Amino acid sequence: MFLQRLLKPNPAKAVGEKLYDATVVQARAPALYADLGAPDTPDGRFEVYTLHVLLVLERLRAEGPAVAPVSQAYFDTYLSGLDNGLRELAVSDTGVSKTMRKLGEAFYGRGKALEAALAALPDREPLQDLLGRTVFGDVDTARAGPLADYVLRVRDGLARTSSEALLDGDIAGTAAS
């Protein structure tokens, strides 16, 4: 009986992991770096990756409290991915702990800032400012314009994704370059 509970698949975890895998594919799309100018650096990739995660979490929240376990599993998988990435870079255990704390703070800060920027729409300036500061590391909003267009297309694609597709881990149709 005990082993059956341990070995029983967790549907929310499976969906969270599938959503995470799809998110990673989107965040690693070469067009984001080559065409939209996102820096192909560890910091640039973290920012693009986190941006995608935040957009998926926003969409999951729109499904209501019934999908909270999926949202949590998705977020947990994101954190595990960050932790694993740091370890692959040979960061020490102490260093991983400190870096994860900083990344967690950055994630929550980005989340609040993105929420505010999206609430300001149709005024795109707050979104471009946010992307300029975080992804590009400066305040050149002109460079952030194409990425802002991309973010809005992805967000719109996620909004159009059916609940069934979303909860099947399918967000592949939301990425547009």
Side-chain angles (χ1 to χ4, degrees):
M1 184 80 155
F2 178 73
L3 279 177
Q4 286 178 334
R5 278 188 272 156
L6 279 178
L7 300 175
K8 184 178 179 184
N10 177 341
K13 183 177 180 184
V15 173
E17 288 173 351
K18 193 169 180 182
L19 282 169
Y20 169 80
D21 290 343
T23 301
V24 170
V25 168
Q26 284 186 351
R28 290 182 179 168
L32 289 167
Y33 305 92
D35 300 342
L36 300 180
D40 193 3
T41 63
D43 287 344
R45 285 184 173 265
F46 168 77
E47 295 296 345
V48 169
Y49 173 53
T50 297
L51 184 59
H52 282 85
V53 168
L54 289 167
L55 291 170
V56 172
L57 285 171
E58 177 193 42
R59 175 62 179 88
L60 286 168
R61 275 193 303 276
E63 288 295 314
V67 300
V70 171
S71 294
Q72 187 61 54
Y74 176 67
F75 181 71
D76 291 347
T77 305
Y78 162 76
L79 290 178
S80 179
L82 288 176
D83 186 274
N84 290 338
L86 290 171
R87 292 179 191 285
E88 286 178 12
L89 292 171
V91 176
S92 69
D93 286 341
T94 306
V96 167
S97 177
K98 289 178 184 177
T99 303
M100 286 298 293
R101 187 173 19 261
K102 288 179 185 175
L103 293 176
E105 291 169 4
F107 176 84
Y108 285 109
R110 302 306 188 269
K112 289 196 177 293
L114 181 61
E115 187 177 317
L118 294 174
L121 292 170
D123 180 4
R124 294 168 40 100
E125 189 173 336
L127 179 59
Q128 287 183 207
D129 288 348
L130 172 65
L131 296 173
R133 278 191 323 273
T134 58
V135 175
F136 296 101
D138 59 32
V139 292
D140 183 0
T141 59
R143 284 180 53 192
L147 186 58
D149 293 339
Y150 169 84
V151 166
L152 295 175
R153 284 192 307 270
V154 169
R155 184 176 187 238
D156 186 53
L158 283 166
R160 288 192 319 267
T161 300
S162 71
S163 298
E164 294 79 20
L166 182 70
L167 295 177
D168 191 38
D170 182 11
I171 59 169
T174 66
S177 60

